Amino acid sequence: MRTTIKLGTATLGSALLLTLGAGMAQAATSADGNTMAKLRPVALNGVDASGTAMVTVTGNRIDVTMAASGLLADSPHAAHIHFGAEARNECPTASDDKDGNGTLNTTEGGPAYGPIVVSLTKSGDTSPKSALAIDRFDTAPGGKISYERGSINVSSDVAAAISAGKSAVVVHGVDHNDNGKYDGETKSELDPKLPTEATDPAICGVLASAPSGGVQTGGGGTADNNQALGLALGGGLLLAAMGTGAFATRKVTNRI
Amino acid sequence: MSLSTKFGDRRGALAAVVTVVLLVLGGGILARAATAPGPPPQPDSSQASAAAPTPATSDPAPAESTAPTAAPEAVVPASDFGTLMAPSAPVALRIPSIKVSTKGLVDLNLDDKGELEAPRDAQRAGWYVGGPTPGEFGPAVIAAHVDSSRIPAVFYNLGRLKKGAKAIVDRKDGTTATFVVDRVARYPKAKFPTAEVYGDTAGRAELRLITCGGEIDPRTGHYADNVVAYAHLVG
């Protein structure tokens, strides 16, 4: 009797501990996550480029890896993570062309992806202050970006937004007139010293959360128990056949 | 007398018919059970980790060997990601070593719980559309059933896949992405390593092949584990 009670208490205790432990683990990792963006051409801007960005969130730290190709070669490509609580949390569409000039500039994309929260510079500051630090962004040799930067610190809100799949990666720089460089009469709405080609969004992708957990990819038809059942059922029917067979044979024998 | 004989004859005939039916039925079920492929093969633990002296396959070695410059070049911040392909959706998957050849991949999305859905048709593989296309940077995901409620399905033999084996993906644009298997592992679904399977692949184009494994959980009627094969692009 006493043993039973002791055992019960012990079980209850460990169950409590387990629950507590699970709760704590969850609290510590609530903002952690793996996210990925498929970078695709921004509507209207006609850039035949693509890529992938992967952002790993660990507490207030993010690690970023990004590959892209098809961009204007050997020219700086500002790249950022955008997020806005008021934004649509997506990449802009043709309907975002508010001035109706047939292309999308960075500001026109704002309602879709929100303001800049991280500048994906190669060195130094990564805050929104470095949004146009064109000397510190990847210059896409051969049109390709191979970008890796770890341990970027972000606010808890930004970390949570990225983990929740609400942020977007945007790579800027569009050679609208296909002459191999950033130029043109139209100046950037962000910095009048730059042509709009240097800052217009080229490729964009929402950083989506990775699937959670595993996949239900089995019907169980070939698992052990089914095979055993088949053997038993088949064998049983054969045994029954032996019985009725014997009966039929006896009848036939009787007649003769 | 004659009545009883008739009766006896009828009973004998009936018994004979029943016998034949039982023989056919029983024999059929028995034959199917006996020739049934049995439970799906599970990955050997030796396949669960990448080979220690990772051969040239796991590293974009060509990029390094073509550079005639001396090794201490670590100052260069630009990373070379090796072979990557432009995006193009997969249309077929071939894994010759385990006799997988499947066409007409279906699109897989996430369900309401954020989990990856499985193909509705057990005889079709599916590609996770939220991830990169096979050949792009990142982990492209192809999932397929190990069996249906009756017979083996597309990835029945995935647990038998070995390191170094090739997985070939035909893509919509006519190009082919060839991957080499790095490892094959089995995880309880409750402890599925999301970061390992779906996380950053450090610049490589990789492929994940996912199916079910382990024992059937009697409470859910589903397999308790997932089998995951990790592969990387070689060309």
Side-chain angles (χ1 to χ4, degrees), chain B residues 46-138:
Chain B
S46 68
Q47 300 298 316
S49 55
T54 355
T57 48
S58 81
D59 230 42
E64 278 175 16
S65 57
T66 48
T69 33
E73 222 191 342
V75 209
V76 182
S79 32
D80 189 350
F81 285 170
T83 318
L84 296 174
M85 299 171 79
S88 180
V91 294
L93 168 69
R94 286 171 285 141
I95 314 172
S97 68
I98 54 168
K99 296 187 169 60
V100 168
S101 182
T102 181
K103 283 180 187 166
L105 273 67
V106 296
D107 288 354
L108 300 181
N109 286 287
L110 301 186
D111 63 17
D112 299 340
K113 286 183 285 182
E115 291 172 12
L116 182 60
E117 58 180 17
R120 284 207 188 88
D121 182 346
Q123 302 308 328
R124 289 218 181 189
W127 165 60
Y128 171 46
V129 294
T133 65
E136 275 190 283
F137 161 50

